[in-house]
């Protein structure tokens, strides 16, 4: 990790090139798992919709 050099051999003190390469190498795997395992995302969306409906119902009853 101490040797962070770019493709031309320039020293990269922040290590951003190495971090970018790790991100690029990891991105297809995260996209694949997100598209195949959409369970948590669907649950989150349903939870938000239910919460908005409850808040709307409470507001409607309070203003009635």
């Amino acid at each position: 990790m101490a040797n962070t050099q770019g493709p031309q051999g320039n020293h990269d003190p922040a290590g951003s090139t190495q971090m970018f390469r790790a991100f690029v190498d990891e991105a297809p795997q995260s996209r694949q798992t997100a598209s195949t395992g959409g369970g948590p995302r669907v649950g989150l969306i349903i939870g938000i919709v239910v919460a908005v409906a409850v808040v709307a119902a409470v507001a409607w009853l309070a203003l009635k």
Side-chain angles (χ1 to χ4, degrees), residues 4 13 18 22-26 30 32 37 40-42 50 58 60:
T4 55
Q18 184 177 9
F23 172 76
V24 170
D25 290 342
E26 210 173 279
S30 63
Q32 185 180 14
R41 175 171 270 172
V42 171
V50 169
V58 169
W60 181 72

Side-chain angles (χ1 to χ4, degrees), residues 12-50:
D12 188 9
S16 59
T17 303
Q18 184 177 9
M19 292 167 63
F20 176 74
R21 285 181 180 165
F23 172 76
V24 170
D25 290 342
E26 210 173 279
Q29 295 172 353
S30 63
R31 284 189 206 124
Q32 185 180 14
T33 56
S35 64
T36 58
R41 175 171 270 172
V42 171
L44 178 66
I45 292 171
I46 291 173
I48 290 171
V49 169
V50 169

